[in-house]
Amino acid sequence: MKIPNINTKKGVEPVTVLPDDMLVEAYLFLRPSAEDMELVRLLQYAEPDAKKAGAILRRCLEGKARLIPFYPGISNKKEPNGAKVVGSIIDGVLYIV
């Protein structure tokens, strides 16, 4: 995921300067790529707590993790190894690896 920039009182800074509870909404407002937007919207659905979702998104933006949607009824792939469940999504589960 690419880290977008925002205008602050200090000038242009990465969106990650925001606290966790504001990060998801700000990230979506900045119109990321369609793929990243879909993943972050799934994150909002799977983890409705803004602070927890923001912490997860921060890890993804820092390159420390990535989000993987898994649809068992649609895919014949197995669940990702070493992944942790973020939460349920429509017809599947969102994992963080």
Side-chain angles (χ1 to χ4, degrees), residues 69-87:
F70 179 72
Y71 303 98
I74 299 171
S75 176
N76 46 356
K77 296 179 185 176
K78 292 190 175 194
E79 296 174 355
N81 289 333
K84 293 183 181 181
V85 173
V86 174

Side-chain angles (χ1 to χ4, degrees), residues 12-76:
V12 178
E13 296 185 274
V15 72
T16 52
V17 300
L18 295 174
D20 289 344
D21 61 340
M22 296 175 66
L23 189 57
V24 171
E25 287 294 329
Y27 183 80
L28 291 172
F29 178 78
L30 295 169
R31 302 268 185 208
S33 70
E35 181 180 337
D36 289 347
M37 183 173 276
E38 180 180 344
L39 285 173
V40 175
R41 289 208 186 278
L42 289 173
L43 173 60
Q44 276 185 311
Y45 187 86
E47 179 52 73
D49 182 279
K51 190 171 185 176
K52 290 178 183 178
I56 292 168
L57 177 56
R58 184 177 307 282
R59 288 181 54 207
C60 294
L61 291 171
E62 292 172 347
K64 296 177 182 175
R66 61 189 173 100
L67 295 170
I68 300 174
F70 179 72
Y71 303 98
I74 299 171
S75 176
N76 46 356

